[in-house]
Amino acid sequence: MKRRLLFGERMLLGDGKEPFNAVIPFRLRGTFTLEHIRRALAQIQHKHPWLRALISYDEKNVPWFEVPETPVAIPVRILPRQSENQWQEESRKEWHLPFNYEKLPLIRFVWIKGEEVSDMLFAFHHCLCDGGSAMAFLYEFLQVLDNPSADIGIENPILGIQDVVPSAILKSRRQQMKAKLIGRLAATAIKWIPVNKKAVERQTDYLIHWKLDQKVSKQLIAYCRSNEITVNTFLSAAVLQAFKKVKGAAAFNKVSCPVDIRRFATQIKEDHIFAFGLMIVVSSDHKLGFLDNVRSMQESVERKTAKLNPYMTMMVMESGHDALNNFTKLLKNGKSSNDCMFSNLGRIQIPHQYKEFTLDTIFSPSVIGPLGNTTTLVTSTFRGEMDFSLVGSEGYLPYVEALAIRDEVMKIITLQLEYLAVS
C-alpha cells in the first residue's frame, strides 16, 4: 500500500532534515510491562496502515507513504521517572529528534517509567497526522493496553484526494479550471513576494504549561455559554489582548486558528490518520470593551468559518506542487505577520478509568517546526480541567515575554469571571 504525499503533507515534511514534530504526553496510574506496551502499539499499527508507513522517493524526487510488507515496530524509549515535570524535558527532546522515515515509522513512543505512576509520550511527524487523529489512536492504544482483546476495528485509509473530495466536484471541469487558475495566481504571487535571505534564528525553544482547575474551567465554560460565545473565541481574544499588553506596538493583532476539516468533509472519519487542516485568522477591535470585542470576533469567526471550502482548498493546493519550494521559502524566510497560532482541541472524549489503570491526565499536545513563527498555544479539556501548552522560541518571542503573556491571559480570565460573579 502506498500513496503520494499531498501538498500540505509535503510542506510539513520538507526535506526531512528539519523536524516538524508533535508530542502528546499523558499520565497513567498503574503498573505495566514492556511486553504489554509493545503489544498495544502493534495493535494500533495493525489498525492504521500509515502508522506502519515509511517514506520513499520516486524518480522525480516526490515522497510517498509506503507500507512495507514486513512492518517495522513503533520504537520505544524507556527512562526512569524522576520528577513530575520530566515529561516537559522529554517533549522538548522529541521536538528536535528527526525521524529516520526511510527505515522507521513516523511515530515513536516514550515511557517515563515509575513504580505506580508513568508518564508516556507519543511523538509523531506532523506530516503523518493532526491532533484529532492522534487523540483517536491514543484512545485506541489505551483500550488495547487495558484489554488486548478489545476490538478497535481496521481503518479504511485515505489513499489520495479522491477519498476526500466528492467525485462530482473533483471531476467537474469547471471546478478543475477554477482550482488551477487560483493555484497559478497564488503561485505567481508567492514567487514575487520579497523574503529575507535567511530565516529568523530560532535560538532556544521552550514549553510553558499550566492548567485551570475544575472550578475555574466550569465557570469559564458557563461564562461563554451565557454570552453565546465559544471558549475558543474567548481565549483568542484573551491571547490577542495579552500580546497587545506585553508587546505593545510590536504585536500584530492576529492569531491563526486551525479549523478541523472533519466538520466540513465527512469523508474524513474521526479515526483517519490524516494531516490536512483549514485555517482562519482572527483579530481584535481594541476600541471595544472585552465582552463587546469577543462578540464581534465571534461574528467574524462564524462568517469566516462559513466561507471555508475544504474541497476547493485541497484542489488548489494539489494543483500547485511545482510551487512548493517557493511557498516553503516564503513561510521560512518571510516576515512574521501573526502573533501566534492558537488551537483548541476542546473536551477530550477519552475515558479516564480503566480496569487495569487510571488515565490521570492528558497534557495538551505541543508541536514545533521550521516554517516561520513557532509561537503556538494549544489548549484542551480533560476531566473538567483546561490544560494549556505554550510553545515558542527565543528568536520569535522571548521566554520572559511568553511568561508575561501567560500571566496576562490568566488575569483576563480571572477578571471576566469576577464580572460574571458580580452580575
Side-chain angles (χ1 to χ4, degrees):
M1 183 183 295
K2 62 186 295 186
R3 75 164 173 86
R4 190 178 78 160
L5 270 68
L6 301 171
F7 181 96
E9 295 165 340
R10 288 184 66 184
M11 180 184 69
L12 295 170
L13 178 66
D15 60 8
K17 297 177 182 177
E18 298 176 292
F20 202 140
N21 298 349
V23 179
I24 294 185
F26 54 101
R27 178 168 293 161
L28 298 182
R29 294 186 180 274
T31 56
F32 310 92
T33 66
L34 179 58
E35 179 187 359
H36 292 154
I37 289 173
R38 288 196 187 279
R39 181 172 57 195
L41 292 172
Q43 286 179 268
I44 65 170
Q45 273 192 300
H46 178 69
K47 171 175 178 174
H48 300 287
W50 304 133
L51 296 188
R52 309 193 298 271
L54 312 179
I55 289 182
S56 60
Y57 289 84
D58 62 21
E59 66 280 357
K60 295 181 179 179
N61 204 36
V62 173
W64 290 67
F65 289 125
E66 185 168 5
V67 180
E69 290 185 9
T70 303
V72 180
I74 293 174
V76 178
R77 181 165 65 90
I78 306 172
L79 61 158
R81 189 173 189 267
Q82 297 173 330
S83 71
E84 287 282 300
N85 293 325
Q86 192 175 352
W87 63 270
Q88 296 184 33
E89 179 185 347
E90 297 308 318
S91 293
R92 290 189 292 268
K93 286 182 182 177
E94 289 296 325
W95 294 344
H96 301 131
L97 188 61
F99 281 90
N100 183 9
Y101 53 69
E102 294 181 278
K103 296 182 178 180
L104 296 171
L106 290 149
I107 182 171
R108 51 183 178 249
F109 189 83
V110 180
W111 179 14
I112 306 173
K113 184 179 180 182
E115 291 185 7
E116 297 180 357
V117 178
S118 287
D119 292 329
M120 300 180 180
L121 291 76
F122 273 110
F124 56 93
H125 198 292
H126 198 11
C127 77
L128 178 68
C129 66
D130 61 7
S133 298
M135 287 299 169
F137 68 65
L138 169 58
Y139 178 33
E140 293 160 358
F141 169 78
L142 294 170
Q143 284 181 287
V144 292
L145 181 63
D146 184 53
N147 177 14
S149 62
D151 182 9
I152 57 174
I154 298 291
E155 179 194 0
N156 184 20
I158 292 171
L159 297 175
I161 189 174
Q162 71 278 2
D163 290 337
V164 178
V165 180
S167 178
I169 297 175
L170 189 62
K171 294 181 179 179
S172 166
R173 189 162 183 79
R174 180 173 176 272
Q175 296 296 321
Q176 290 175 357
M177 292 178 64
K178 181 180 178 181
K180 287 182 180 179
L181 176 60
I182 296 173
R184 288 303 90 203
L185 290 173
T188 302
I190 289 168
K191 186 176 180 180
W192 294 106
I193 294 175
V195 297
N196 300 322
K197 292 183 178 180
K198 291 184 178 180
V200 172
E201 184 67 37
R202 265 167 58 176
Q203 302 175 44
T204 303
D205 300 321
Y206 55 80
L207 168 63
I208 301 172
H209 172 263
W210 74 98
K211 282 181 179 287
L212 301 182
D213 62 28
Q214 287 187 1
K215 181 181 178 181
V216 176
S217 299
K218 186 176 181 180
Q219 288 174 339
L220 179 53
I221 293 169
Y223 173 99
C224 293
R225 284 177 178 168
S226 66
N227 287 291
E228 297 182 337
I229 55 177
T230 64
V231 172
N232 193 77
T233 305
F234 175 99
L235 292 174
S236 296
V239 168
L240 286 166
Q241 184 170 311
F243 267 91
K244 179 68 174 176
K245 178 70 177 292
V246 173
K247 295 189 69 68
F252 294 103
N253 191 29
K254 289 182 180 179
V255 168
S256 301
C257 296
V259 179
D260 190 351
I261 192 174
R262 295 164 186 81
R263 291 172 54 183
F264 305 91
T266 56
Q267 297 88 341
I268 306 172
K269 306 305 179 186
E270 293 294 330
D271 62 350
H272 267 135
I273 302 300
F274 194 64
F276 188 87
L278 302 170
M279 195 80 65
I280 62 172
V281 176
V282 297
S283 299
S284 280
D285 185 344
H286 297 302
K287 297 177 182 178
L288 298 176
F290 184 83
L291 186 54
D292 287 338
N293 175 53
V294 179
R295 287 171 174 155
S296 175
M297 286 177 62
Q298 187 66 55
E299 293 175 1
S300 174
V301 166
E302 290 169 2
R303 286 194 303 271
K304 291 179 178 181
T305 304
K307 291 180 181 178
L308 290 175
N309 185 336
Y311 304 135
M312 180 52 61
T313 301
M314 287 194 72
M315 289 176 68
V316 168
M317 294 177 77
E318 288 309 293
S319 73
H321 278 264
D322 59 328
L324 180 66
N325 289 338
N326 285 335
F327 188 57
T328 301
K329 185 178 179 181
L330 174 64
L331 291 176
K332 282 186 175 182
N333 296 7
K335 291 183 179 180
S336 182
S337 61
N338 70 332
D339 294 300
C340 77
M341 180 175 290
F342 170 59
S343 177
N344 180 11
L345 295 178
R347 189 159 67 94
I348 298 176
Q349 306 275 12
I350 295 179
H352 78 274
Q353 191 63 57
Y354 296 81
K355 291 181 180 179
E356 300 298 328
F357 56 83
T358 300
L359 176 58
D360 189 67
T361 192
I362 299 174
F363 302 104
S364 288
S366 60
V367 61
I368 196 165
L371 301 181
N373 190 350
T374 59
T375 313
T376 304
L377 176 63
V378 181
T379 185
S380 59
T381 302
F382 182 69
R383 298 181 70 180
E385 294 183 335
M386 282 191 194
D387 185 279
F388 298 81
S389 289
L390 175 59
V391 172
S393 307
E394 287 281 353
Y396 285 103
L397 180 68
Y399 181 71
V400 291
E401 291 186 1
L403 288 174
I405 287 168
R406 176 204 60 186
D407 294 343
E408 190 63 29
V409 168
M410 291 301 297
K411 285 180 185 177
I412 294 167
I413 292 172
T414 301
L415 184 60
Q416 293 304 311
L417 294 185
E418 286 177 353
Y419 287 156
L420 176 66
V422 170
S423 61

